[in-house]
């Protein structure tokens, strides 16, 4: 959606947008059944470090192609991770290697890249624009909390679970601190949203990230006390 809006606001032809998407989809299929298995086969008997580096190279390559086609590096990285996991688990049954890659990426991401990204988000947000957009901020918080909690209750009830289980799950997943900020950043850089809306989204993310574990812990304690 961001790619399409960016293209239309820059007066690019919609046909070129869909053509780039089609090329990217074809490239993903080619990657899945050609160079990803080939690259991973070279490191099948090597160390975990080589497996990690090969995975990073694959992710950077697919992300670069996505950026070249104006789809966005984050979208390319997302699909690269999906293809890597699908190749290792489904095709080659290399379960432990998939876990090793995920563990290594988790350490690198949350130990280095994610804190830097959050610092950048905090420096970019303009708190002086929060008050004029307070109604939008409150609306976003209500949508984030009520939408997630009610959606979780419906999903759990459809799965034959109880209302309380859905309520607990809803508060447990209410935090909006990762993907939402990435999307907001992409929208800000593309000029789709102003700094005031971006700051409102950051405030919503901060509020839900803080309140979610607090509410979840309190509800779990209360729920088990009632059951006891």
């Amino acid at each position: 959606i961001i790619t399409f809006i960016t293209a239309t606001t820059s007066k690019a032809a919609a046909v070129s947008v869909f053509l780039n998407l089609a090329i990217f989809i074809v490239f993903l299929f080619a990657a899945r059944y050609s160079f990803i298995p080939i690259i991973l086969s070279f490191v099948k008997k090597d160390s975990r470090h080589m497996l990690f580096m090969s995975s990073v190279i694959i992710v950077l390559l697919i992300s670069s192609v996505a950026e070249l086609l104006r789809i966005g590096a984050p979208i390319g990285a997302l699909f690269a991770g999906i293809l890597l996991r699908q190749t290792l688990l489904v095709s080659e049954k290399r379960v432990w290697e998939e876990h090793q890659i995920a563990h290594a990426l988790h350490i690198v991401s949350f130990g280095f890249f994610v804190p830097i990204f959050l610092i950048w988000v905090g420096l970019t947000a303009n708190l002086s624009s929060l008050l004029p957009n307070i109604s939008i901020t409150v609306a976003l918080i209500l949508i984030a909390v009520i939408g997630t909690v009610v959606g979780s209750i419906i999903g759990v009830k459809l799965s034959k679970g109880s209302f309380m289980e859905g309520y607990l799950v809803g508060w447990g997943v209410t935090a909006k601190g990762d993907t939402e900020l990435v999307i907001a950043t992409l929208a800000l850089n593309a000029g789709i949203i102003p700094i005031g809306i971006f700051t409102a989204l950051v405030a919503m993310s901060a509020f839900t990230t803080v309140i979610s574990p607090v509410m979840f812990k309190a509800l779990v304690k209360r729920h088990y006390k009632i059951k006891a």
Side-chain angles (χ1 to χ4, degrees), residues 160-174:
K160 310 300 180 183
S162 67
F163 174 86
M164 180 54 68
E165 289 172 340
Y167 194 57
L168 286 171
V169 171
W171 277 107
V173 298
T174 293

Side-chain angles (χ1 to χ4, degrees), residues 142-195:
L142 291 176
I143 291 171
V145 174
I146 297 175
T148 305
V149 173
V150 173
S152 299
I153 292 172
I154 294 173
V156 172
K157 290 291 288 183
L158 291 175
S159 301
K160 310 300 180 183
S162 67
F163 174 86
M164 180 54 68
E165 289 172 340
Y167 194 57
L168 286 171
V169 171
W171 277 107
V173 298
T174 293
K176 314 288 183 203
D178 40 27
T179 311
E180 293 77 14
L181 287 178
V182 172
I183 295 174
T185 301
L186 290 174
L188 178 67
N189 292 337
I192 299 172
I193 60 174
I195 189 64

Side-chain angles (χ1 to χ4, degrees), residues 57-93:
I57 290 172
I58 292 171
V59 170
L60 291 177
L61 176 60
I62 297 179
S63 299
S64 300
V65 172
E67 190 68 25
L68 182 65
L69 295 173
R70 297 183 179 180
I71 294 172
I75 303 299
L78 173 65
F79 279 101
I82 294 173
L83 293 181
L84 271 171
R85 187 177 191 277
Q86 207 266 347
T87 302
L88 288 172
L89 293 185
V90 178
S91 300
E92 303 186 19
K93 308 296 182 184

